[in-house]
Amino acid sequence: MSYFFQLVVSGIVVGSIYALSALGFVLIYKSSRVLNLAHGQIIASGAFITYALTVWVGIPIVISFLLSMGITFFLAMSVERVFLRRLIGEPIISVIMVTIGLMSIIDGLIYMTPFGAGNFSFPEFLPKTPVALWGVSISWTQLVGVIITFIMIGGFTWFFKASTVGISMRAVSDDQFASMSIGISVPKVFGLAWAAAGLSAAAAGGILGNITGLNFYVLHSFGIIVFPVVIVGGLDSIFGAVVAGIIMGLIQQFAAGYLDGNWGLYGTADVLPYIILLIILLFKPHGLFGIHEIERV
Amino acid sequence: MKNKQITIMLVALSFLLILGFSTQVLAGETYKMGMSVDITGATSDIGNPYSKGAEDYVKYVNDEKLLGNDKLVLFIRDDAYKTETTKRNFEDFLDEDIVLYQNYSTGSTLALRQDFDEEKIPTITASFHAGNLENCNYLFLPIASYSSQAVGLAEYVVANHKGSNKIKVAMFLHPSAFGRGPLGDVKKAIDIGLPIELVEVVEHGKDLDNTAMLKRFQSKGVQYVISQTVQPPVATMLKGAQSLGMAASTYGEAGKITFLGCHYAGGPDLIGLAGSAAEGFYWTTSYKLMTAKGPGTDAQLALAKRYGRDDKLANSQNYTNGIMVIQVAVEAIRRVKAKSIKVNRANLFEELQAMNGYNAFYPLTTVGPVSFSKTDREGVDTLQLYVAKGGVFHELGAPFVSEYVQKLKK
């Protein structure tokens, strides 16, 4: 039975990190209907900034982690200001193409640094002995990662539900023209959405970097790996990202734990999430919690 | 008077011809080589230092005039680990009349090997996949193949296993020809008597957590895991094993797992990624590591310093790898020149195949000599085992040649 619970715990850990990584997609899509394909690169940038501040500048890792979230907050906001603001009102496909260009630019910039072609790891600051309870183990890195994930997701949920700015962002997402007519600055909302996505990406990067080590390819690949999570959860639902993340994490762990190695099956953990994605989309084309808009003409 | 003028003109003309000819002789020949390598792709952490090793050694050859007045030119192009880009690079290099070519990934080597034969161009590849050599005569692996490395590791497991229980091994492979390459040979070695039980063969994905796999291994009594992949997935697995308390603290510790890996699965970069979780990881390669002090490693550090490289790069085994493939090429050119015959593809091919026995090449960057022949195009047969201790890979025992690999080759 402890094997089952171990898989459950690991699934929740992996799933919550997927959810945090997916959060950036959701935040931008929720307010601007744009799919930011450079999100993986921002995740990697956040991790590298944390490393640079910790190892090269000598700042304690916890402060570096917070600082990197602040830095990516402003970096992402600047990216929106420089590259995307002038595209407000343009077709969505143009904006998505810009994010593809952005992906190449960030790739190029990172390849100019030692992080482009090197492997690094954060200094170990948490106990190496895992937390073990009833035969179930979880490493401190994973535990801290899950706690940060839930704090951030809880914070963003509150922000969108209760704060004035968050409600303004939801209003812009619903109807840009109506929002402008009541005095909401749409460009500011877009900037803030990108900034919040940058902040969450840095947090995801820091946690991922602690788990996998710092390798640019591995980190930026997460932007794509979490894509099924975003789609299953619903592109505009934070709660959806959490639920879908955990579902995906559990499916992967159970597939690896019970299917792989039996009946000649291997690699089911990689394939199964996509099969589930297709089945869910068949019945719920907007994802589990995505908003299905009905337009009256 | 007219005859005198003609004579003077002829003398002047002869003088100019001689001057022109001697200038050409003084300038020497230029030998062009091409290298397609992943500098900005999925394995740039390997390809980037590899390309820099090659680049620096070419500079060194020219600066120190190791080929006399002749000049070596190496065109290095990034293929970002994409076969179609590699093919385009290779075709561009052919237009430049290269005499030797260096390829990188397993996928592109397998895709282009017929082209190497058609163009009759000797090619040295950074992929040590034994399958590359099938149906291709012009390809040379600089060191022992992944198959030789994996079988060598399995042999080490058998030789050093404590206890009388059945030795249960799992293989952790990259989901590609690069990863699967050694599996067939490990199975063949088992068939001819290598006493291990291959319990599971796992082709990894982009896993964030290997708990399920590691627990499964443990439940099946797996005591050793041999990895043939790149460092990031191994690092994630090692971190997982550390957090679950499943990593052996001493070699072959009962009830725990001892991790081992082939060339690209380990090395200093693995410690860079996995930190303390890499402690006790056993790794094999034919290259000398910077921790194994000697003339070769001193020369490598000096080379890196001379061309302004940082410590991390200077100590990378992939930098060594890049230097070594150019060393082999330069040695072949030098031997062709010594015979006073033209340095071209055909003569370099013949010279590489004659690099054996007394003519084997000792580059000092490897743990054994480079030897090729018409029937064996795997360069260094010798392997060295290293173990990660205190954040550094240390030599473990003397270099060895796998007994079962020799049996399989017969």
Side-chain angles (χ1 to χ4, degrees), chain A residues 37-226:
Chain A
L37 295 177
H39 187 59
Q41 276 68 10
I42 302 175
I43 289 176
S45 306
F48 295 147
I49 291 168
T50 307
Y51 179 88
L53 291 173
T54 309
V55 178
W56 296 347
V57 182
I59 299 170
I61 192 161
V62 178
I63 300 171
S64 299
F65 180 70
L66 296 172
L67 277 176
S68 88
M69 293 200 321
I71 292 169
T72 46
F73 179 92
F74 288 109
L75 270 180
M77 191 183 253
S78 314
V79 163
E80 191 278 335
R81 183 72 189 82
V82 174
F83 296 104
L84 293 145
R85 189 158 297 181
R86 58 197 70 213
L87 289 171
I88 290 175
E90 298 297 327
I92 288 296
I93 189 69
S94 307
V95 189
I96 292 172
M97 290 310 289
V98 168
T99 69
I100 292 175
L102 199 59
M103 193 163 76
S104 296
I105 291 170
I106 300 174
D107 274 352
L109 289 173
I110 290 178
Y111 278 119
M112 288 165 74
T113 72
F115 298 114
N119 292 320
F120 303 85
S121 63
F122 287 121
E124 288 166 10
F125 65 106
L126 292 167
K128 284 177 204 160
T129 320
V131 181
L133 212 59
W134 301 304
V136 174
S137 299
I138 179 169
S139 73
W140 279 95
T141 311
Q142 290 176 325
L143 188 64
V144 170
V146 172
I147 292 169
I148 293 173
T149 299
F150 281 101
I151 290 174
M152 294 218 43
I153 287 170
F156 276 116
T157 308
W158 172 85
F159 175 77
F160 278 109
K161 283 212 165 149
S163 74
T164 315
V165 183
I167 292 165
S168 307
M169 288 171 87
R170 281 167 53 204
V172 170
S173 163
D174 277 347
D175 192 323
Q176 289 180 21
F177 288 107
S179 305
M180 278 193 280
S181 70
I182 56 165
I184 295 172
S185 166
V186 173
K188 269 187 190 166
V189 164
F190 283 177
L192 208 60
W194 273 78
L199 186 138
S200 74
I207 294 165
L208 281 169
N210 258 305
I211 291 171
T212 63
L214 299 167
N215 173 286
F216 179 46
Y217 180 75
V218 171
L219 289 172
H220 82 64
S221 298
F222 256 85
I224 301 300
I225 291 172
V226 297

Side-chain angles (χ1 to χ4, degrees), chain B residues 35-102:
Chain B
M35 174 182 273
S36 184
V37 55
D38 174 15
I39 299 174
T40 60
T43 61
S44 58
D45 53 332
I46 294 165
N48 194 301
Y50 179 84
S51 69
K52 283 176 178 158
E55 183 187 334
D56 288 356
Y57 196 72
V58 169
K59 277 187 201 162
Y60 176 73
V61 167
N62 290 328
D63 290 351
E64 291 299 316
K65 295 196 177 295
L66 296 191
L67 293 173
N69 287 321
D70 296 349
K71 196 180 163 202
L72 189 62
V73 173
L74 175 68
F75 303 108
I76 300 177
R77 285 245 194 119
D78 177 23
D79 58 38
Y81 210 54
K82 290 175 185 154
T83 298
E84 66 275 18
T85 313
T86 310
K87 189 166 171 59
R88 202 166 54 237
N89 289 344
F90 177 62
E91 282 164 359
D92 287 351
F93 293 147
L94 290 178
D95 292 341
E96 295 286 344
D97 281 334
I98 54 167
V99 291
L100 201 138
Y101 172 62
Q102 270 99 11

